[in-house]
Amino acid sequence: MTRLSVIGTGYLGTTHAACMASLGHEVAAFDVDAERIKALSSGNLPFYEPGLAELLRAGLETGKLKFVTDLSEAMSGSNIHFLCVGTPQADKTGKSDLSQIEQAISSMVHFLKPGDTIVGKSTVPVGTAKTIREFLEINFQSEVKLVWNPEFLREGLAVKDTLHPDRIVLGVKNKEDSKVIEQVYQATIKEGTPVIVTDFATAELVKSAANAFLATKISFINAFSDLCDSVGADITTLADAIGYDSRIGRKFLNAGIGFGGGCLPKDIRSLKSRADELGLSAQFKFLDEVDEINQTRRTKVLQLAIEQLGNISNKQIAILGASFKPNSDDIRDSPALTIATELHKLGAKVKVHDPVAIPAVNRYFPELGTSLTIEEAFEDADLILHLTEWTEYQAIDPIHLRNLVKSPLIIDGRNVLEPASWVSAGWKIIYLGKPSS
Ligand code: NAD
């Protein structure tokens, strides 16, 4: 087993560190956020991710996993350093802010030793790895290697995706540089996971292309959802029917309020901005459309709410879901919270419910009302908005909740609630891209 360091303990770094420890490696994880390190060292996960808290505690108990505030301590016992810091959007151009990468590398330089390998996992614009590699060559000749190993985990399924990924992509300058990482991922590779060893630029672009494709698929179906609305067609049946075609596939074809989170939106903007820099604006203009279609989904729900309620002011609106996706408390660029905030600005009395994200909502959106139970959210509501696809909401008993609301009206922003039980309980249910019931 190998000794590893992990630099940056956000969603990606914490998951990676705990999963690598669960495979038997000795992992020392470092972050500049001392509070975060303190929480993690005591076994407290600062965010919600199914199965991760258990791995974290198991790693701490066996001593395979430790969290430190001293970078030299993290790096000294190890030759492999996973770089997992954030790469948020820098500005309106969509460019990536690479300052966390730059700061991490310039701090790591003091503790790198000949024979070390840095493994970049953060999502970066194409060309970044080459720049880092050149910087390392200037400082260490060829003594310190770089591998770019983009991460494809999905929040909510992060543990499974880290331990059993669909593929492992390793961008390298020399083929043999990948061997040391293949050793770290040996258990996964033995399961038959494909390993793609390629150059830096291809590795970086695999990640950008995967996210751009997924975002495009979502906006594609959402554009069709509007078309279905205008002609009275049904987007779910349409998606099922085209999804049977194995060239298309059914996944990522659920029409609704669109995508959000800390990755897809910023990643497609970063790709577009990089393509602009490379003189390929025309070829990648479609990503602006993908982004715009996605943003309009949020406005569409607002318009529907206004159509149904007339004047929004003082209307009581329950919002089901705050996180950008189920099984996560990540509220970064959450469509549900954009909608909740806009309704609040229009004078509505908003009550947000979420199975796990309420502490994050209270912290970052203190202006919004929140409810700890679904019943409390429904009480006296003029309208219910179902905005995040938690299974809890699909299990709601519409008969019981019918008695709590002022008006039995629900907009299903995810198109997953079964119409029969809601309608027979006396509710009007409005979908996006399919006839209301
Ligand atoms: P995050 O913001 O949750 O975590 C980043 C962490 O890095 C923070 O804890 C921050 O304090 C720390 N950090 C910043 N500068 C540092 C430094 N100099 N040294 C050490 N630590 C430092 O971000 P995240 O969601 O974990 O994403 C990290 C990267 O992984 C991004 O590039 C993202 O695009 C990519 N990614 C994320 C996911 C995901 O689902 N979250 C999936 C795939 C790829």
Side-chain angles (χ1 to χ4, degrees):
M1 290 302 149
T2 320
R3 294 176 78 169
L4 315 170
S5 82
V6 170
I7 315 301
T9 59
Y11 283 88
L12 165 62
T14 303
T15 308
H16 196 69
C19 287
M20 291 304 107
S22 80
L23 292 175
H25 300 301
E26 272 180 42
V27 184
F30 164 81
D31 200 291
V32 285
D33 181 343
E35 281 299 307
R36 178 169 281 259
I37 290 296
K38 196 170 154 202
L40 287 164
S41 299
S42 339
N44 296 319
L45 198 56
F47 54 88
Y48 176 82
E49 181 61 43
L52 187 56
E54 292 80 351
L55 283 194
L56 168 70
R57 286 179 209 131
L60 292 170
E61 263 168 42
T62 57
K64 291 276 182 199
L65 179 59
K66 65 176 179 177
F67 293 90
V68 297
T69 48
D70 179 351
L71 181 59
S72 109
E73 188 187 345
M75 290 178 64
S76 60
S78 155
N79 297 115
I80 301 175
H81 314 289
F82 285 95
L83 183 60
C84 299
V85 298
T87 49
Q89 185 174 329
D91 54 36
K92 280 197 173 146
T93 66
K95 222 175 153 64
S96 289
D97 170 1
L98 295 178
S99 58
Q100 293 184 32
I101 298 260
E102 286 156 11
Q103 277 161 18
I105 297 280
S106 49
S107 311
M108 289 166 79
V109 158
H110 303 292
F111 311 111
L112 284 165
K113 311 167 287 303
D116 280 9
T117 301
I118 296 179
V119 189
K121 294 199 70 65
S122 304
T123 304
V124 292
V126 61
T128 308
K130 182 168 175 275
T131 309
I132 297 174
R133 168 82 198 195
E134 284 164 1
F135 172 80
L136 293 173
E137 267 169 15
I138 291 166
N139 286 277
F140 300 95
Q141 291 74 48
S142 296
E143 305 275 15
V144 172
K145 305 203 176 344
L146 179 70
V147 176
W148 212 264
N149 170 216
E151 179 58 58
F152 302 97
L153 70 80
R154 296 161 291 177
E155 285 177 21
L157 294 163
V159 170
K160 175 184 162 289
D161 286 349
T162 303
L163 292 174
H164 312 286
D166 291 336
R167 74 297 211 188
I168 294 169
V169 176
L170 303 172
V172 289
K173 185 169 181 206
N174 305 306
K175 285 252 172 205
E176 60 274 17
D177 294 353
S178 69
K179 292 287 172 257
V180 62
I181 308 308
E182 288 176 48
Q183 204 54 34
V184 173
Y185 293 145
Q186 201 181 19
T188 310
I189 294 171
K190 270 192 186 151
E191 289 176 349
T193 308
V195 180
I196 296 117
V197 179
T198 182
D199 55 89
F200 289 134
T202 307
E204 292 164 322
L205 282 177
V206 170
K207 175 67 186 175
S208 305
N211 275 0
F213 188 79
L214 294 173
T216 304
K217 221 174 161 187
I218 298 172
S219 283
F220 171 89
I221 203 68
N222 280 332
F224 267 90
S225 165
D226 278 350
L227 186 51
C228 285
D229 268 340
S230 350
V231 296
D234 183 332
I235 192 65
T236 306
T237 309
L238 182 151
D240 289 343
I242 63 170
Y244 283 120
D245 184 330
S246 57
R247 294 168 302 173
I248 296 172
R250 180 62 176 84
K251 288 183 181 162
F252 273 66
L253 282 184
N254 289 331
I257 59 170
F259 58 84
C263 290
L264 274 194
K266 66 130 176 127
D267 288 350
I268 60 166
R269 290 171 201 151
S270 169
L271 173 58
K272 173 63 175 41
S273 138
R274 188 74 184 107
D276 288 347
E277 285 171 3
L278 294 166
L280 297 167
S281 300
Q283 290 86 333
F284 284 85
K285 193 174 181 316
F286 75 96
L287 287 177
D288 288 335
E289 307 288 337
V290 166
D291 200 5
E292 197 183 324
I293 292 168
N294 190 52
Q295 292 304 320
T296 345
R297 305 310 291 167
R298 305 176 189 198
T299 329
K300 181 167 175 113
V301 174
L302 286 174
Q303 282 162 353
L304 277 174
I306 293 166
E307 251 168 50
Q308 291 299 318
L309 297 180
N311 186 2
I312 291 279
S313 183
N314 282 322
K315 292 281 166 36
Q316 184 116 346
I317 302 180
I319 309 280
L320 296 182
S323 54
F324 85 95
K325 67 185 293 195
N327 300 315
S328 172
D329 63 351
D330 192 347
I331 57 167
R332 290 179 284 185
D333 199 7
S334 165
L337 289 175
T338 307
I339 294 166
T341 305
E342 288 305 316
L343 288 168
H344 169 77
K345 283 188 199 154
L346 291 170
K349 292 181 195 154
V350 171
K351 274 204 259 172
V352 180
H353 176 271
D354 190 282
V356 298
I358 292 304
V361 178
N362 287 335
R363 181 163 175 207
Y364 295 104
F365 294 84
E367 69 280 13
L368 298 178
T370 50
S371 301
L372 289 176
T373 64
I374 294 175
E375 279 81 4
E376 193 192 324
F378 272 58
E379 225 162 84
D380 292 328
D382 295 288
L383 170 66
I384 313 290
L385 298 182
H386 172 239
L387 301 183
T388 310
E389 214 176 323
W390 285 94
T391 49
E392 280 89 333
Y393 299 143
Q394 288 157 59
I396 280 176
D397 173 7
I399 302 174
H400 164 57
L401 293 171
R402 163 75 185 85
N403 301 322
L404 298 177
V405 296
K406 209 179 284 165
S407 166
L409 176 62
I410 181 161
I411 298 175
D412 181 4
R414 295 294 178 182
N415 286 348
V416 290
L417 300 178
E418 274 303 324
S421 58
W422 287 83
V423 171
S424 64
W427 288 81
K428 178 175 180 190
I429 179 159
I430 297 166
Y431 297 101
L432 305 186
K434 53 195 238 171
S436 307
S437 298

Coordinates of all heavy atoms in Angstrom, one line a residue, residues 319-378:
I319 N -41.4 25.4 -1.1 CA -40.5 24.9 -2.0 C -39.9 23.5 -1.6 O -39.3 23.4 -0.5 CB -39.2 25.9 -2.1 CG1 -39.7 27.3 -2.3 CG2 -38.2 25.4 -3.1 CD1 -40.0 27.7 -3.7
L320 N -40.2 22.5 -2.3 CA -39.6 21.2 -2.0 C -38.3 21.0 -2.6 O -38.2 20.8 -3.8 CB -40.6 20.1 -2.4 CG -42.0 20.1 -1.8 CD1 -42.9 19.0 -2.3 CD2 -41.9 20.1 -0.2
G321 N -37.2 21.1 -1.8 CA -35.9 20.9 -2.3 C -35.1 22.1 -2.4 O -35.6 23.1 -2.9
A322 N -33.9 22.1 -1.9 CA -33.0 23.3 -2.0 C -31.7 22.9 -2.6 O -31.1 23.7 -3.3 CB -32.7 23.8 -0.6
S323 N -31.2 21.7 -2.5 CA -29.9 21.3 -3.0 C -30.1 21.2 -4.6 O -31.2 21.0 -5.1 CB -29.5 19.9 -2.5 OG -30.5 19.0 -2.7
F324 N -28.9 21.3 -5.3 CA -29.0 21.3 -6.7 C -29.4 19.9 -7.3 O -29.9 19.8 -8.4 CB -27.8 21.8 -7.4 CG -26.7 20.8 -7.6 CD1 -26.5 20.2 -8.8 CD2 -25.8 20.5 -6.5 CE1 -25.5 19.2 -9.0 CE2 -24.8 19.5 -6.7 CZ -24.7 18.9 -8.0
K325 N -29.2 18.9 -6.5 CA -29.6 17.5 -6.9 C -29.9 16.7 -5.6 O -29.5 17.1 -4.5 CB -28.6 16.9 -7.7 CG -27.3 16.6 -6.9 CD -26.2 16.1 -7.8 CE -26.5 14.7 -8.4 NZ -25.3 14.0 -8.9
P326 N -30.7 15.6 -5.7 CA -30.9 14.8 -4.5 C -29.7 14.2 -3.9 O -28.7 14.0 -4.7 CB -32.0 13.8 -5.0 CG -31.8 13.7 -6.4 CD -31.3 15.1 -6.9
N327 N -29.7 13.7 -2.7 CA -28.6 13.0 -2.0 C -27.4 13.9 -1.9 O -26.3 13.4 -1.8 CB -28.3 11.7 -2.7 CG -29.5 10.8 -2.7 OD1 -30.2 10.7 -1.7 ND2 -29.8 10.2 -3.9
S328 N -27.6 15.2 -1.8 CA -26.5 16.1 -1.6 C -27.0 17.3 -0.9 O -28.2 17.6 -1.0 CB -25.9 16.5 -3.0 OG -25.0 17.6 -2.8
D329 N -26.1 18.0 -0.1 CA -26.6 19.3 0.5 C -25.9 20.5 -0.2 O -25.8 21.6 0.3 CB -26.3 19.3 2.0 CG -24.9 19.3 2.3 OD1 -24.0 19.0 1.4 OD2 -24.5 19.5 3.5
D330 N -25.4 20.2 -1.4 CA -24.7 21.2 -2.2 C -25.7 22.2 -2.8 O -26.5 21.7 -3.6 CB -23.8 20.5 -3.2 CG -22.8 21.5 -3.9 OD1 -22.9 22.7 -3.7 OD2 -21.9 21.0 -4.6
I331 N -25.6 23.4 -2.4 CA -26.6 24.4 -2.9 C -25.9 25.4 -3.9 O -26.5 26.4 -4.3 CB -27.3 25.2 -1.8 CG1 -26.3 25.9 -0.9 CG2 -28.2 24.3 -0.9 CD1 -26.9 26.9 0.0
R332 N -24.7 25.1 -4.3 CA -24.0 26.0 -5.3 C -24.9 26.0 -6.5 O -25.2 25.0 -7.1 CB -22.6 25.5 -5.6 CG -21.7 25.6 -4.4 CD -20.3 25.1 -4.7 NE -20.2 23.7 -4.7 CZ -19.0 23.0 -4.9 NH1 -17.9 23.7 -5.1 NH2 -19.0 21.7 -4.9
D333 N -25.2 27.2 -7.0 CA -26.0 27.5 -8.2 C -27.2 26.5 -8.3 O -27.5 26.0 -9.4 CB -25.1 27.3 -9.4 CG -25.7 28.0 -10.6 OD1 -26.7 28.7 -10.5 OD2 -25.1 27.8 -11.7
S334 N -27.9 26.4 -7.2 CA -29.1 25.5 -7.2 C -30.3 26.2 -7.9 O -30.7 27.3 -7.5 CB -29.5 25.1 -5.8 OG -30.7 24.6 -5.8
P335 N -30.9 25.5 -8.9 CA -32.0 26.1 -9.6 C -33.2 26.4 -8.6 O -33.8 27.4 -8.6 CB -32.4 25.1 -10.6 CG -31.3 24.2 -10.8 CD -30.4 24.3 -9.5
A336 N -33.3 25.5 -7.6 CA -34.4 25.6 -6.6 C -34.3 26.9 -5.9 O -35.3 27.6 -5.6 CB -34.4 24.4 -5.7
L337 N -33.0 27.2 -5.5 CA -32.9 28.4 -4.6 C -32.9 29.7 -5.5 O -33.3 30.8 -4.9 CB -31.6 28.3 -3.8 CG -31.7 27.2 -2.7 CD1 -30.4 27.0 -2.0 CD2 -32.8 27.6 -1.7
T338 N -32.5 29.6 -6.7 CA -32.7 30.8 -7.6 C -34.2 31.1 -7.7 O -34.6 32.3 -7.5 CB -32.2 30.6 -9.0 OG1 -30.9 30.1 -9.0 CG2 -32.3 31.8 -9.9
I339 N -35.0 30.1 -7.8 CA -36.5 30.3 -7.9 C -37.0 30.8 -6.6 O -37.8 31.8 -6.6 CB -37.2 29.0 -8.4 CG1 -36.7 28.6 -9.8 CG2 -38.7 29.1 -8.3 CD1 -37.0 27.2 -10.3
A340 N -36.6 30.2 -5.5 CA -37.1 30.6 -4.2 C -36.7 32.1 -3.9 O -37.6 32.9 -3.4 CB -36.5 29.7 -3.1
T341 N -35.5 32.5 -4.3 CA -35.1 33.8 -4.0 C -35.9 34.8 -4.9 O -36.3 35.9 -4.4 CB -33.5 34.0 -4.4 OG1 -32.9 33.0 -3.6 CG2 -33.0 35.3 -4.0
E342 N -36.1 34.5 -6.1 CA -36.9 35.4 -7.0 C -38.3 35.6 -6.5 O -38.8 36.7 -6.5 CB -36.9 34.9 -8.4 CG -35.6 35.0 -9.2 CD -35.0 36.4 -9.2 OE1 -35.8 37.4 -9.4 OE2 -33.8 36.6 -8.9
L343 N -38.9 34.5 -6.0 CA -40.3 34.5 -5.5 C -40.3 35.4 -4.2 O -41.2 36.2 -4.0 CB -40.8 33.1 -5.1 CG -41.1 32.3 -6.4 CD1 -41.3 30.8 -6.0 CD2 -42.4 32.8 -7.1
H344 N -39.2 35.2 -3.4 CA -39.1 36.1 -2.2 C -39.0 37.5 -2.5 O -39.7 38.4 -1.9 CB -37.9 35.6 -1.4 CG -37.5 36.5 -0.3 ND1 -38.2 36.6 0.9 CD2 -36.5 37.5 -0.2 CE1 -37.6 37.5 1.7 NE2 -36.6 38.0 1.1
K345 N -38.2 37.8 -3.6 CA -38.1 39.2 -4.0 C -39.4 39.8 -4.5 O -39.7 41.0 -4.4 CB -37.1 39.3 -5.2 CG -35.6 39.2 -4.7 CD -34.7 39.6 -5.8 CE -33.3 39.1 -5.6 NZ -32.6 38.8 -6.8
L346 N -40.3 38.9 -5.1 CA -41.6 39.4 -5.6 C -42.6 39.5 -4.4 O -43.8 39.8 -4.6 CB -42.1 38.4 -6.6 CG -41.4 38.4 -7.9 CD1 -41.8 37.2 -8.8 CD2 -41.6 39.7 -8.7
G347 N -42.2 39.2 -3.2 CA -43.0 39.4 -2.0 C -43.7 38.2 -1.5 O -44.5 38.2 -0.6
A348 N -43.4 37.0 -2.1 CA -44.0 35.8 -1.6 C -43.4 35.4 -0.3 O -42.3 35.8 0.0 CB -43.8 34.7 -2.6
K349 N -44.2 34.7 0.5 CA -43.7 34.1 1.7 C -43.3 32.7 1.4 O -44.1 31.8 1.2 CB -44.8 34.1 2.8 CG -45.2 35.5 3.3 CD -46.3 35.3 4.3 CE -47.0 36.6 4.6 NZ -48.4 36.4 5.1
V350 N -42.0 32.5 1.3 CA -41.4 31.3 0.9 C -41.0 30.4 2.0 O -40.4 30.9 3.0 CB -40.2 31.6 0.0 CG1 -39.4 30.3 -0.3 CG2 -40.6 32.3 -1.3
K351 N -41.4 29.1 2.0 CA -40.9 28.2 3.0 C -40.2 27.0 2.3 O -40.8 26.3 1.5 CB -42.1 27.6 3.8 CG -42.4 28.5 5.0 CD -43.1 27.7 6.1 CE -44.6 28.0 6.0 NZ -45.4 27.1 6.9
V352 N -38.9 26.9 2.5 CA -38.1 25.9 1.8 C -37.9 24.7 2.7 O -37.6 24.8 3.9 CB -36.7 26.5 1.5 CG1 -35.8 25.5 0.7 CG2 -36.8 27.8 0.6
H353 N -38.2 23.5 2.1 CA -37.9 22.3 2.8 C -36.8 21.5 2.0 O -36.8 21.6 0.8 CB -39.1 21.4 2.9 CG -38.9 20.1 3.5 ND1 -38.5 19.0 2.8 CD2 -38.8 19.7 4.8 CE1 -38.2 18.0 3.6 NE2 -38.5 18.4 4.9
D354 N -35.9 20.9 2.7 CA -35.0 20.0 2.1 C -34.5 18.9 3.1 O -34.3 19.3 4.3 CB -33.7 20.7 1.6 CG -32.8 19.9 0.7 OD1 -32.1 19.0 1.3 OD2 -32.9 20.0 -0.5
P355 N -34.4 17.7 2.8 CA -34.0 16.7 3.8 C -32.7 16.9 4.4 O -32.5 16.5 5.6 CB -34.0 15.3 3.0 CG -34.9 15.6 1.8 CD -34.7 17.1 1.5
V356 N -31.7 17.6 3.7 CA -30.4 17.8 4.4 C -29.8 19.2 4.2 O -28.9 19.5 4.9 CB -29.4 16.7 3.9 CG1 -29.8 15.3 4.2 CG2 -29.1 16.9 2.4
A357 N -30.4 20.0 3.3 CA -29.7 21.2 3.0 C -30.1 22.4 3.8 O -29.7 23.6 3.5 CB -29.8 21.5 1.5
I358 N -31.0 22.3 4.7 CA -31.6 23.4 5.4 C -30.5 24.2 6.2 O -30.5 25.5 6.1 CB -32.8 23.0 6.4 CG1 -33.9 22.6 5.5 CG2 -33.2 24.2 7.3 CD1 -34.4 23.6 4.4
P359 N -29.5 23.6 6.9 CA -28.5 24.4 7.5 C -27.7 25.3 6.5 O -27.4 26.4 6.8 CB -27.5 23.3 8.1 CG -28.4 22.1 8.3 CD -29.4 22.1 7.2
A360 N -27.5 24.7 5.3 CA -26.8 25.6 4.3 C -27.7 26.7 3.8 O -27.2 27.8 3.6 CB -26.4 24.7 3.1
V361 N -29.0 26.5 3.7 CA -29.9 27.5 3.2 C -30.0 28.6 4.3 O -29.9 29.8 4.0 CB -31.4 27.0 3.0 CG1 -32.3 28.1 2.6 CG2 -31.4 25.9 1.9
N362 N -30.1 28.2 5.6 CA -30.1 29.2 6.7 C -28.9 30.0 6.7 O -28.9 31.2 7.0 CB -30.3 28.5 8.0 CG -31.7 28.0 8.2 OD1 -32.7 28.5 7.5 ND2 -31.9 27.0 9.0
R363 N -27.7 29.4 6.3 CA -26.5 30.1 6.4 C -26.3 31.1 5.2 O -25.9 32.2 5.4 CB -25.3 29.1 6.4 CG -24.0 29.7 6.5 CD -22.9 28.7 6.9 NE -21.6 29.4 6.8 CZ -20.5 28.8 6.6 NH1 -20.5 27.5 6.5 NH2 -19.4 29.5 6.6
Y364 N -26.6 30.6 4.0 CA -26.3 31.4 2.8 C -27.5 32.2 2.3 O -27.4 33.1 1.5 CB -25.7 30.6 1.7 CG -24.4 30.0 2.1 CD1 -24.3 28.7 2.5 CD2 -23.3 30.8 2.1 CE1 -23.0 28.1 2.8 CE2 -22.0 30.3 2.5 CZ -21.9 28.9 2.8 OH -20.7 28.4 3.2
F365 N -28.8 31.8 2.7 CA -30.0 32.5 2.2 C -30.8 32.8 3.5 O -32.0 32.4 3.5 CB -30.7 31.6 1.2 CG -30.0 31.4 -0.1 CD1 -29.1 30.4 -0.2 CD2 -30.3 32.2 -1.2 CE1 -28.4 30.1 -1.4 CE2 -29.6 32.0 -2.4 CZ -28.7 30.9 -2.5
P366 N -30.3 33.6 4.4 CA -31.1 33.9 5.7 C -32.4 34.5 5.4 O -33.3 34.5 6.3 CB -30.1 34.7 6.5 CG -29.1 35.3 5.5 CD -29.0 34.4 4.4
E367 N -32.6 35.2 4.3 CA -33.8 35.9 4.0 C -35.0 34.9 3.7 O -36.1 35.3 3.8 CB -33.6 36.9 2.8 CG -33.4 36.2 1.4 CD -32.0 35.8 1.1 OE1 -31.2 35.7 2.1 OE2 -31.7 35.5 0.0
L368 N -34.6 33.6 3.4 CA -35.7 32.7 3.0 C -36.2 32.0 4.2 O -35.5 31.6 5.1 CB -35.2 31.6 2.0 CG -34.7 32.2 0.7 CD1 -34.1 31.0 -0.2 CD2 -35.8 32.9 -0.1
G369 N -37.5 31.7 4.3 CA -38.1 30.9 5.3 C -37.8 29.5 5.1 O -37.7 29.1 3.9
T370 N -37.6 28.7 6.1 CA -37.3 27.3 6.0 C -38.3 26.4 6.9 O -38.8 27.0 7.9 CB -35.9 26.9 6.3 OG1 -35.6 27.5 7.6 CG2 -34.9 27.5 5.3
S371 N -38.5 25.2 6.5 CA -39.3 24.3 7.3 C -38.5 23.0 7.5 O -37.9 22.5 6.6 CB -40.6 23.9 6.5 OG -41.3 25.1 6.2
L372 N -38.6 22.5 8.7 CA -37.9 21.2 9.0 C -38.7 20.0 8.6 O -38.2 18.9 8.5 CB -37.5 21.2 10.5 CG -36.4 22.2 10.8 CD1 -36.1 22.1 12.3 CD2 -35.1 21.9 10.0
T373 N -40.1 20.2 8.4 CA -40.9 19.0 8.0 C -41.7 19.4 6.8 O -41.9 20.6 6.5 CB -41.9 18.6 9.1 OG1 -42.8 19.7 9.3 CG2 -41.2 18.3 10.4
I374 N -42.0 18.4 6.0 CA -42.8 18.6 4.8 C -44.2 19.2 5.2 O -44.7 20.1 4.6 CB -43.0 17.3 4.0 CG1 -41.6 16.8 3.5 CG2 -44.0 17.4 2.9 CD1 -41.6 15.5 2.8
E375 N -44.7 18.7 6.3 CA -46.1 19.2 6.7 C -46.0 20.7 7.0 O -46.9 21.4 6.6 CB -46.5 18.5 8.0 CG -47.1 17.1 7.8 CD -46.0 16.0 7.6 OE1 -44.8 16.4 7.7 OE2 -46.4 14.9 7.3
E376 N -45.0 21.1 7.7 CA -44.9 22.5 8.1 C -44.7 23.4 6.8 O -45.3 24.5 6.7 CB -43.6 22.7 8.9 CG -43.5 24.0 9.6 CD -42.1 24.2 10.2 OE1 -41.5 23.2 10.7 OE2 -41.6 25.4 10.2
A377 N -44.1 22.9 5.8 CA -43.9 23.6 4.5 C -45.3 23.8 3.8 O -45.6 24.8 3.3 CB -42.9 22.9 3.6
F378 N -46.1 22.7 3.9 CA -47.4 22.7 3.2 C -48.4 23.6 3.9 O -49.4 24.0 3.3 CB -47.9 21.3 3.1 CG -47.4 20.5 1.9 CD1 -46.1 20.3 1.6 CD2 -48.3 20.0 0.9 CE1 -45.6 19.6 0.5 CE2 -47.9 19.3 -0.2 CZ -46.5 19.1 -0.4

